Amino acid sequence: MKALIVASALTLVGSCATLSHTKKLQNIKDSIVFTDANIINNYANTITVAELNTHVYKFSSDEFEGRRAGEPGHHKAANYLKDYYIKEGIASPLGTDNYYQIVPESFFDNGIKSSPNVIAYIKGTEYPDEVLIISGHSDHEGFTEKFIYNGADDNGSGTAAMLEMAQAFKKAENEGFAPKRSIVFLHFTGEEVDLTGSRYYTKHPVFPLHNTIANLNIDMIGRVDDSHEDNPNYIYLIGSDRLSTELHYISESANENFTKLELDYRLNSDSDPNQYYSRSDHYNFAQNGVPVIFYFNGTHDDYHEPTDTAEKINFPLLQKRTKLIFTTAWYIANNEKPIKVDLDS
Ligand SMILES: [Zn+2]
């Protein structure tokens, strides 16, 4: 009897709270409108399968020797990124031709030599101090006597997506559609060794973290996991609803307007045993109160194996997922107000 009374009282309180909560969510949803959808689409369409293909094949080639942080192969990979930004006319916030934030050897725990985060940006026209960071790690597992760990999905896919988005935002800037806020492209080193590059960045941020309004982090978006073999039109999103309700609905609306992927949230659950929310570079931003979305295709048989190679990438799917991130980023960078942080988990 007692238990029942408690239960019904709880139900009553619950339904009142739910009603006003529902209304609040509806208000947030209604406030998100892609008014310049045609313009956004024009630039999203400059993200091509051919160019993604070029970047993934190059970045995961044997030439870069598995991109182990601190090793010559990773230095070459970082240099490829730097040369790309110079060629595309995309500046660094660190100064002319200075695209490296060096993570010193002393900051790595495990005898890894100093290694760069690579950073480039497009300056906002109206709120240049407000910063959106698009990130992905550049390093991987290196090589053994027998194998090179090419890391085409992990994280050649995310790296290629970033390079294509940077080019698209630059083209928009050149044609009179510069973002209102600054957009930073940040390639972390040492993700594979305890998220060291992002940990270093958040301890030594180039832009103050309190002005960093969101982080969209990409780690493996070129493949299909076992549970989606029959319906590959998907992406896992992790973290989108943890700190900012608005960020979550911007992402959903971008998908409805432009990409129509199945947004799969099952790995976002607090109770998911994999705990992916804490397993890539975005976590260091979330820990500092910066809302994040982590874009991920899930694991597969080639995860952290030498068989993670470029010919296994689904390039049309990589293109579609990149467009989702691009259109979400466009909104965040151009909306009149910065996104609100309204949650605390
Ligand atoms: Zn990774």
Side-chain angles (χ1 to χ4, degrees):
M1 192 64 192
K2 200 176 176 190
L4 194 66
I5 292 166
V6 171
S8 58
L10 274 178
T11 307
L12 195 66
V13 171
S15 66
C16 289
T18 305
L19 201 67
S20 77
H21 188 62
T22 307
K23 201 173 167 201
K24 188 190 136 197
L25 292 187
Q26 196 57 49
N27 287 343
I28 293 173
K29 278 187 203 173
D30 291 346
S31 74
I32 297 161
V33 182
F34 282 82
T35 46
D36 39 9
N38 288 338
I39 296 166
I40 300 172
N41 224 359
N42 281 344
Y43 292 106
N45 286 336
T46 70
I47 295 165
T48 65
V49 164
E51 288 175 334
L52 289 166
N53 188 294
T54 301
H55 291 309
V56 171
Y57 270 88
K58 179 73 178 183
F59 210 67
S60 62
S61 67
D62 288 353
E63 183 189 344
F64 295 159
E65 301 175 330
R67 308 185 306 276
R68 178 84 174 159
E71 298 302 313
H74 184 262
H75 293 326
K76 276 189 201 167
N79 204 49
Y80 175 75
L81 299 174
K82 183 184 89 170
D83 285 350
Y84 176 83
Y85 287 116
I86 291 172
K87 176 171 69 77
E88 295 291 327
I90 300 170
S92 167
L94 301 174
T96 307
D97 291 356
N98 180 16
Y99 290 80
Y100 289 176
Q101 180 188 45
I102 303 291
V103 181
E105 186 171 343
S106 59
F107 196 81
F108 286 96
D109 296 328
N110 12 33
I112 287 169
K113 298 183 202 79
S114 74
S115 179
N117 291 328
V118 179
I119 183 165
Y121 87 135
I122 293 173
K123 193 172 181 177
T125 49
E126 288 185 36
Y127 317 107
D129 295 338
E130 294 177 13
V131 169
L132 164 66
I133 294 183
I134 301 177
S135 64
H137 71 89
S138 58
D139 68 310
H140 194 49
E141 296 281 344
F143 60 93
T144 65
E145 267 174 34
K146 283 190 180 154
F147 302 113
I148 295 174
Y149 290 80
N150 297 100
D153 191 27
D154 189 5
N155 189 23
S157 62
T159 304
M162 290 172 66
L163 298 180
E164 279 292 273
M165 284 191 276
Q167 188 187 52
F169 278 117
K170 184 65 188 180
K171 185 171 162 63
E173 181 193 49
N174 288 342
E175 295 173 0
F177 299 103
K180 291 192 173 91
R181 298 187 177 78
S182 297
I183 304 176
V184 172
F185 302 92
L186 189 43
H187 301 265
F188 292 118
T189 186
E191 191 273 347
E192 306 285 16
V193 278
D194 304 331
L195 316 183
T196 303
S198 55
R199 198 152 33 85
Y200 186 81
Y201 180 87
T202 50
K203 287 218 162 80
H204 305 274
V206 174
F207 298 90
L209 292 177
H210 67 263
N211 285 337
T212 301
I213 59 165
N215 169 226
L216 306 182
N217 185 50
I218 314 165
D219 193 354
M220 300 170 60
I221 59 164
R223 294 283 297 271
V224 173
D225 74 352
D226 288 345
S227 58
H228 291 87
E229 262 172 12
D230 298 328
N231 55 331
N233 189 50
Y234 80 102
I235 181 85
Y236 291 112
L237 298 190
I238 298 161
S240 63
D241 62 351
R242 304 255 185 153
L243 293 172
S244 168
T245 310
E246 196 181 0
L247 178 61
H248 178 74
Y249 286 115
I250 290 168
S251 163
E252 292 242 310
S253 179
N255 185 52
E256 272 160 38
N257 278 281
F258 300 104
T259 45
K260 299 205 174 358
L261 288 153
E262 179 212 333
L263 303 182
D264 193 327
Y265 296 105
R266 80 184 85 165
L267 301 181
N268 185 44
S269 161
D270 262 335
S271 57
D272 183 81
N274 295 298
Q275 295 292 310
Y276 287 115
Y277 186 55
S278 61
R279 281 180 52 188
S280 187
D281 293 308
H282 55 274
Y283 191 57
N284 284 316
F285 288 93
Q287 293 279 77
N288 282 284
V290 177
V292 306
I293 304 178
F294 172 29
Y295 299 89
F296 181 47
N297 52 220
T299 58
H300 44 71
D301 288 347
D302 302 310
Y303 174 71
H304 280 219
E305 296 292 339
T307 49
D308 176 6
T309 46
E311 79 283 358
K312 292 175 184 162
I313 297 292
N314 181 332
F315 285 99
L317 186 56
L318 173 56
Q319 177 192 38
K320 206 172 192 184
R321 290 164 170 171
T322 305
K323 285 182 179 184
L324 170 65
I325 304 162
F326 177 79
T327 53
T328 303
W330 183 294
Y331 189 97
I332 295 168
N334 284 291
N335 191 33
E336 209 44 58
K337 290 183 182 151
I339 61 166
K340 273 201 196 82
V341 176
D342 61 343
L343 304 165
D344 60 3
S345 63

